[in-house]
Amino acid sequence: QLDPENTGFIGVETFASLVHSHELPLDPAKLDMLVALAQGNDEGQVCYQELVDLISSKRSSSFKRAIANGQRALPRDVLLDETGLGIYKRFVRYVAYEILPCEMDRRWYFYQHRTCPPPVFMAAVTLTQIIVFLCYGARLNKWVLQTYHPEYMKSPLVYHPGHRARAWRFLTYMFMHVGLEQLGFNALLQLMIGVPLEMVHGILRISFLYLAGVLAGSLTVSITDMRAPLVGGSGGVYALCSAHLANVVMNWAGMRCPYKLLRMVLALVCMSSEVGRAVWLRFSPPLPASGPQPSFMAHLAGAIVGISMGLTILRSYEESLQDQCGWWVLLLSYGTFLLFAVFWNIFAYDLLGAQIPPP
């Protein structure tokens, strides 16, 4: 009745009176966003498809356009001023300020956040890593530097250049760790950074980013450090951390997390120290060993994945990745690297006569 010519648009005043007269139970934040979208176009009209996208919380560019075109029409309340919040809602607000650089992004996430599905991926990965570590620690009675125990490196989960044909090892090595130091460092970062990222960006995006870092780590080691085995989830951890840190730097003025400069410096120092420790263990192990120690190249490969592919994912909050040309370029580049690495593992070891240590 309000759109007899079937244009898909009606005036914003007509829509407002419709909402008021019928007492429609619309989310106030989404209603504000729709009004901002209307004021952003030339005729000041409400688009039916944008209404559907907002009500269904569909990932699209509508949200970003609303911010760009109608910022003046949106409420300017600061989310930190909200009072009477429960413990969980305060945690959601904390996550919003940790991850998102724009106040409207934070308000949108805060009001539309749902507890289902919970951030189970990073929690499940961390729990599995701890259980595997405890099982091997109890079995070998060696907890600090397990890689120096010959039986530890015989695990079917460890990546070893002599077992390249067992393709699952290129991923399952993330469940094995050098010792308490590496496990504690990775578990802490996965829970402190990975869980908030998963809460905001969803399980599919964050799990893809994490596994892409893990896979890139093992494949990079197979190309650049052909004698070395590999353990630990550092490839995935560094993909998450580097993506988050790059996002903070790119949106420095908008980030409202407390002590962000100090935390940035501490994070860089800790990550650099971990890489330095991995390099030291690789080339100067403190104890005699029967073969090469685990490689450190997975850290660097994960960081590259995070800065490139991860930054694109984190900057696309509430937007479809498939609509962005840059995303497809990065995906094509990553696929090309995977294809090259597969052929390298099939042919290069024999052609170069690599001296692989006994598995």
Side-chain angles (χ1 to χ4, degrees):
Q1 294 175 349
L2 299 176
D3 183 22
E5 298 180 2
N6 198 27
T7 63
F9 292 86
I10 62 173
V12 65
E13 296 82 3
T14 304
F15 179 76
S17 62
L18 180 69
V19 172
H20 178 72
S21 61
H22 289 270
E23 297 182 353
L24 299 179
L26 297 179
D27 187 327
K30 295 183 178 182
L31 186 59
D32 294 338
M33 210 64 62
L34 194 66
V35 172
L37 281 169
Q39 295 201 356
N41 60 49
D42 296 335
E43 291 79 18
Q45 293 181 321
V46 173
C47 174
Y48 175 75
Q49 188 57 49
E50 289 174 347
L51 170 65
V52 173
D53 290 347
L54 287 171
I55 298 303
S56 63
S57 296
K58 178 182 177 182
R59 290 184 183 272
S60 68
S61 60
S62 299
F63 180 59
K64 294 297 183 183
R65 291 207 315 275
I67 294 175
N69 299 330
Q71 183 77 36
R72 63 188 182 280
L74 298 173
R76 298 183 180 274
D77 299 339
V78 178
L79 190 56
L80 286 174
D81 296 337
E82 292 276 355
T83 58
L85 300 177
I87 295 177
Y88 182 74
K89 291 301 289 184
R90 286 203 296 269
F91 175 68
V92 172
R93 181 174 63 183
Y94 163 80
V95 169
Y97 275 90
E98 283 291 310
I99 304 300
L100 297 171
C102 174
E103 183 64 25
M104 284 310 308
D105 283 3
R106 294 189 281 260
R107 291 182 66 250
W108 175 258
Y109 166 73
F110 179 79
Y111 288 120
Q112 65 92 35
H113 173 74
R114 300 293 181 267
T115 56
C116 186
V120 295
F121 175 77
M122 293 311 310
V125 168
T126 304
L127 181 61
T128 304
Q129 291 170 341
I130 293 174
I131 292 175
V132 170
F133 182 83
L134 292 177
C135 290
Y136 275 93
R139 175 185 169 187
L140 305 176
N141 193 26
K142 195 173 182 69
W143 300 89
V144 181
L145 292 171
Q146 292 179 342
T147 49
Y148 300 121
H149 198 296
E151 294 298 320
Y152 185 76
M153 296 306 292
K154 292 181 180 179
S155 168
L157 302 179
V158 172
Y159 165 78
H160 192 283
H163 289 312
R164 300 187 315 282
R166 302 175 184 180
W168 69 83
R169 290 173 178 257
F170 285 92
L171 283 175
T172 57
Y173 78 91
M174 71 180 184
F175 297 118
M176 307 289 289
H177 284 83
V178 167
L180 284 171
E181 303 97 334
Q182 188 187 33
L183 174 65
F185 181 80
N186 286 348
L188 183 65
L189 289 181
Q190 285 172 178
L191 295 178
M192 290 184 61
I193 296 179
V195 170
L197 286 175
E198 187 178 346
M199 289 178 63
V200 173
H201 296 282
I203 185 173
L204 292 179
R205 295 187 178 202
I206 298 306
S207 61
F208 177 82
L209 176 59
Y210 185 86
L211 295 177
V214 169
L215 186 57
S218 57
L219 291 174
T220 301
V221 169
S222 70
I223 295 173
T224 61
D225 201 355
M226 297 170 66
R227 286 177 47 84
L230 185 62
V231 293
S234 297
V237 171
Y238 274 64
L240 296 178
C241 292
S242 60
H244 178 58
L245 293 179
N247 191 44
V248 172
V249 172
M250 293 285 291
N251 301 280
W252 186 261
M255 299 300 295
R256 293 285 301 277
C257 46
Y259 308 109
K260 56 185 178 182
L261 180 59
L262 176 62
R263 292 164 61 182
M264 173 77 70
V265 172
L266 289 176
L268 292 176
V269 169
C270 291
M271 293 171 67
S272 301
S273 301
E274 173 66 13
V275 174
R277 175 181 173 276
V279 173
W280 174 66
L281 288 176
R282 172 67 180 90
F283 295 109
S284 301
L287 295 174
S290 59
Q293 298 306 299
S295 177
F296 59 91
M297 290 301 297
H299 300 71
L300 305 181
I304 293 174
V305 169
I307 294 175
S308 57
M309 186 181 298
L311 184 58
T312 301
I313 291 176
L314 299 193
R315 293 177 65 186
S316 303
Y317 174 65
E318 286 296 327
E319 290 186 69
S320 298
L321 291 172
Q322 58 265 27
D323 295 336
Q324 302 181 41
C325 179
W327 168 249
W328 291 108
V329 172
L330 290 172
L331 209 57
L332 179 61
S333 302
Y334 187 77
T336 303
F337 164 73
L338 294 183
L339 189 62
F340 170 78
V342 169
F343 278 96
W344 180 277
N345 279 273
I346 294 175
F347 301 109
Y349 279 75
D350 294 333
L351 292 175
L352 297 176
Q355 300 296 319
I356 301 176

